[in-house]
Amino acid sequence: MNIGRHLALFAVLVASTASVPAAPIDFDFKDPKGVNTVIFKTDAPLESINGTANGVSGTITFDPENPTAIKGRIVVAAKSLHVPNPTMKEHLQGDGWLDVAKHPEVTFEVVSAKNAKTEGNATTLEVTGNMTIKGVTKSLTVPAKVTYLKDKLKARGGSNKDGDLLVVRASFSIKRSDFGINAAKFEEKVSNDIELTFSLAGMAPRL
């Protein structure tokens, strides 16, 4: 037996295995803990309105070694949009505003990303995607921070499986007039500019 030859072959196999890049990971954003939330805010001359939406789902594919290859789609159930005032909530979900009966989803689909900068497990980048509200789709480029947490799924709670987490954070503004939401109306009470803040955790359990 040529021990040297076998050791050399083993070394080649180990080296080739080590050089194989990690595969992209699919993260599920339907959170069993119900913590994933989108915050929205309007600041008009007469009123400042703050609300939330927790009906979040969707999938993001992320490669820690190639962050700009990020792809996926985040979905928010329009009927989960909530403001404390019941009458205001009824108006928000009604046909004059979001018309959630006809347009049950608000979506953001990632198209591309650029200018990624990674420090530790966190990456900042510019994400371009298609946002759809009330049946109208607009292209937006927004700053985002993506934190990849390897082996932290079980530690977060809500799952008894091992796996990874992906936390996505983004803050940006949209104009309701761009999406046909009562354009040029009631702007003393509801600003045309709507601030959105996402802080969402996606899960990738290992089977």
Side-chain angles (χ1 to χ4, degrees):
M1 177 183 295
N2 190 331
I3 296 177
R5 182 179 177 184
H6 282 282
L7 288 175
L9 179 60
F10 177 74
V12 169
L13 289 173
V14 170
S16 62
T17 301
S19 66
V20 174
I25 306 168
D26 292 333
F27 292 88
D28 184 358
F29 282 78
K30 188 171 179 59
D31 182 11
K33 293 182 69 176
V35 174
N36 279 348
T37 303
V38 176
I39 299 171
F40 60 93
K41 177 180 179 180
T42 73
D43 193 5
L46 296 181
E47 287 184 343
S48 179
I49 302 170
N50 295 275
T52 60
N54 58 8
V56 178
S57 60
T59 302
I60 295 290
T61 301
F62 183 73
D63 184 349
E65 296 184 5
N66 186 15
T68 56
I70 187 170
K71 289 290 185 292
R73 185 170 180 260
I74 294 296
V75 180
V76 179
K79 68 179 181 181
S80 76
L81 272 70
H82 174 78
V83 291
N85 184 293
T87 301
M88 192 179 294
K89 179 179 178 179
E90 183 178 351
H91 290 165
L92 174 67
Q93 296 188 359
D95 57 5
W97 291 86
L98 291 177
D99 198 0
V100 302
K102 290 184 179 178
H103 307 284
E105 294 181 345
V106 174
T107 64
F108 185 88
E109 184 160 6
V110 178
V111 174
S112 63
K114 62 181 181 180
N115 296 335
K117 297 179 181 178
T118 300
E119 292 186 11
N121 57 13
T123 300
T124 58
L125 67 171
E126 295 176 35
V127 176
T128 297
N130 292 324
M131 188 157 201
T132 301
I133 304 175
K134 202 177 179 181
V136 178
T137 300
K138 295 289 183 180
S139 177
L140 301 175
T141 298
V142 303
K145 181 178 181 181
V146 179
T147 305
Y148 170 60
L149 299 171
K150 185 175 175 59
D151 297 324
K152 293 297 184 181
L153 176 58
K154 190 181 289 187
R156 179 176 183 264
S159 175
N160 59 1
K161 295 182 178 180
D162 293 322
D164 304 335
L165 288 173
L166 188 73
V167 180
V168 178
R169 296 180 175 90
S171 295
F172 57 97
S173 295
I174 61 172
K175 294 185 181 297
R176 61 185 175 93
S177 57
D178 287 344
F179 296 92
I181 304 171
N182 270 335
K185 295 181 180 180
F186 311 109
E187 290 193 5
E188 286 191 335
K189 289 189 175 183
V190 184
S191 171
N192 188 42
D193 294 315
I194 302 173
E195 299 176 26
L196 300 175
T197 301
F198 290 72
S199 183
L200 312 173
M203 305 178 299
R206 282 191 284 277
L207 301 178

